[in-house]
Structures are given as structure tokens and as C-alpha cells.
Amino acid sequence: MYKVLVVDDDHLVRKGFIGMMPWNKYGFEVAGEAGSGKKALELLTGERMDVLITDLAMPLMSGIELFREVKKLYPHMHTVVLTFHQDFELIQESLRLGAIDYITKTELEHEQMDEVLARIRTRIDEKSPRNAPVAGLPANIPPESASGADSDELLACVRKALDYMNSKFDHELTLSLVAKEANMSRSYFARCIKDFTGKTFQEHLREIRISYARTMLEQTRKPIYWIAAKSGYPNEKYFCKVFKAVTGMLPSEYRKKFDIYKNGLNMN
């Protein structure tokens, strides 16, 4: 059993998180809890833990500061972030520090507890397979895990996916196709792109395509059907519908308004 320390300054959130998760089913045991980073460090001096799950936004000592201390003092520990979508920069920093995964609180609201723990267990086993229990030996033999290599790989995979979308947006793109290009599972990639960009896969792809279309409407006299196809919308009618939903104007109206604006600047 992997011993888990849960840290969150919100007492109700912490107790709810501990109580709702099927820990034993995936080989975990909550061996301690703390309401602050300082208290967590005190607990760690008295008992060895294998996994730290901590909120990032805490007073006095933030989750990031706790991560740094734990990485320095207890390099064998696996660290996991408990956070909200809007903490994107903090998530990135924690991944750079070696966090193996992150849990968004919206996942818990949607009752995805089994998926969350199964994913964390898989990440731990992948990161330190020699750390698995062996008959007659303690289950928490320290690995040679510690570095942020796995976290860097995750960030690289997401960036690769975003770069692929930016370069291939004029092609037919699906969530499965881009996830495969990034060497990630479909469901995990869908969660990652939502957390990293604040948008779903389809929302982010639409933003890329419409941004390109706006540029073409402003800088060229190409016909609407040509711009639609180059933006990844072979169906001109559907393209116009999406464009209006995003900008509030049809492509022809947008071009006309931009021309008026540009001519006004030139006259001045």
C-alpha cells in the first residue's frame, strides 16, 4: 500500500476528498492529512509517506513552496497537485518541479474518482516500477523517484499537440487523431488541453481556424469559399455559421467593416 499525505487548508474539501476516494481499491492508504504546508512538513518528519497530494493555493506556505521542500528533503515521494482549472501557471510550475500528475477539483465534482486514482497509480508504477511491493520487503523502498523528466515529457506532449493543431488546422482534425500525434490517450489529452488552455479541444481548434480566417479576410481579397476551405471548413455555409457565432458577423460583413476601418485610417 502506498501511504498518502493529503494537504488542503480547506477543512471541508480535505475531509470530503479523503472520504470519497476509493483509496484501497488502487493500493493507497491515507496515512496523514494537514491543513497547511508547515503542518505537512512536521508530519513528514515523524512518518514516511510515499505520495503527497496538495492544494496549490494555500496561505503562508503555498503548495509550490511545499513541493520544493519535499523534493529537497524527501526525493522518494511522488507529488500530485490538487487544483482548479485557472491555476494553469501553478500547474506548469509544479510539473517542472516533478509532480507526476494533477487532479482538478471539477473531476471530483463529476465523480471521476476511480479514473483519477487509477491514473495516479499507473503514473507511479511507470515512474518507479522497482518501487512495487516485493514479498518480505517494505513497499516504500526509495527509487534512485528523482527528477522532473516525466513532467517535462507531459508538457512536451501537450505542446506537440498544440503545434500540430496550429500547423494542420486546415485539415480534418479529430480529438483522437491529435491525441495519437501527441502519444496520449484520447481521454487524458482531452483533460490536459482543457486544463492547459482553458478550452475544450473543439473550442481551441475553432479559435485557431477563425483567427486565421479573420486574417485572410483582412489581408486578401480571396473569395469566402476559398478562405473557408483554407481555414479547415470545406462547407462554406457551415463556416459562415461558425464565424458569425464567434465574431457576431458573417465573413462578408466582417470584411466590409474592416475595409471601412482601414480606409478611415488611410484617410487620416
Side-chain angles (χ1 to χ4, degrees):
M1 299 289 282
Y2 287 99
K3 292 188 175 182
V4 179
L5 172 61
V6 177
V7 186
D8 195 311
D9 63 306
D10 189 317
H11 178 78
L12 292 178
V13 170
R14 187 174 74 249
K15 288 295 184 182
F17 176 65
I18 293 173
M20 72 170 63
M21 303 292 275
W23 303 100
N24 291 344
K25 182 177 178 180
Y26 295 95
F28 296 107
E29 173 194 359
V30 178
E33 60 177 289
S36 68
K38 181 179 179 181
K39 181 63 176 178
L41 291 176
E42 291 175 0
L43 288 174
L44 288 173
T45 60
E47 184 171 358
R48 183 187 179 90
M49 303 284 185
D50 303 300
V51 183
L52 168 69
I53 301 180
T54 181
D55 186 21
L56 291 180
M58 298 188 294
L60 301 181
M61 175 180 279
S62 69
I64 292 294
E65 292 172 315
L66 177 59
F67 267 21
R68 291 194 180 101
E69 288 299 308
V70 167
K71 183 177 181 180
K72 179 172 60 178
L73 298 172
Y74 309 101
H76 70 280
M77 287 192 70
H78 302 285
T79 51
V80 179
V81 173
L82 181 61
T83 188
F84 286 105
H85 284 310
Q86 58 264 35
D87 293 329
F88 172 56
E89 292 184 0
L90 293 179
I91 290 174
Q92 280 194 312
E93 179 63 19
S94 63
L95 291 174
R96 291 189 191 102
L97 289 173
I100 61 169
D101 210 331
Y102 57 98
I103 305 169
T104 58
K105 293 180 181 178
T106 52
E107 284 184 291
L108 306 182
E109 293 171 4
H110 290 88
E111 299 181 347
Q112 297 172 296
M113 289 80 82
D114 277 88
E115 180 182 329
V116 166
L117 287 184
R119 189 179 70 236
I120 292 173
R121 180 58 193 256
T122 298
R123 296 285 292 172
I124 290 175
D125 291 343
E126 288 175 349
K127 189 174 179 65
S128 54
R130 289 176 300 138
N131 205 31
V134 179
L137 292 176
N140 52 2
I141 299 173
E144 292 179 357
S145 133
S147 71
D150 284 355
S151 303
D152 290 341
E153 182 179 355
L154 173 60
L155 288 170
C157 286
V158 174
R159 291 194 184 102
K160 182 179 180 181
L162 296 178
D163 288 343
Y164 184 78
M165 292 173 70
N166 281 322
S167 63
K168 299 290 186 180
F169 64 85
D170 57 331
H171 292 62
E172 182 178 354
L173 294 182
T174 64
L175 178 62
S176 297
L177 176 64
V178 179
K180 183 178 180 181
E181 188 69 22
N183 298 316
M184 302 173 75
S185 71
R186 183 180 182 276
S187 60
Y188 191 42
F189 172 65
R191 191 177 72 88
C192 284
I193 194 170
K194 174 69 173 178
D195 293 335
F196 276 63
T197 68
K199 305 177 184 66
T200 65
F201 168 79
Q202 288 295 342
E203 288 170 342
H204 187 66
L205 179 59
R206 182 178 64 184
E207 184 177 272
I208 294 172
R209 286 172 166 170
I210 297 304
S211 177
Y212 175 81
R214 290 170 73 159
T215 300
M216 290 296 98
L217 288 167
E218 294 169 5
Q219 298 182 3
T220 76
R221 306 311 300 174
K222 296 289 186 181
I224 303 299
Y225 71 84
W226 185 93
I227 293 176
K230 288 296 183 180
S231 301
Y233 297 100
N235 185 317
E236 181 183 351
K237 185 176 180 180
Y238 180 65
F239 164 69
C240 292
K241 180 180 178 180
V242 174
F243 191 92
K244 185 171 184 179
V246 174
T247 67
M249 293 176 280
L250 291 170
S252 56
E253 295 171 333
Y254 182 88
R255 172 177 273 168
K256 183 177 181 180
K257 185 173 181 179
F258 181 81
D259 286 346
I260 294 172
Y261 172 74
K262 184 173 64 175
N263 291 334
L265 288 178
N266 290 337
M267 288 177 65
N268 292 333

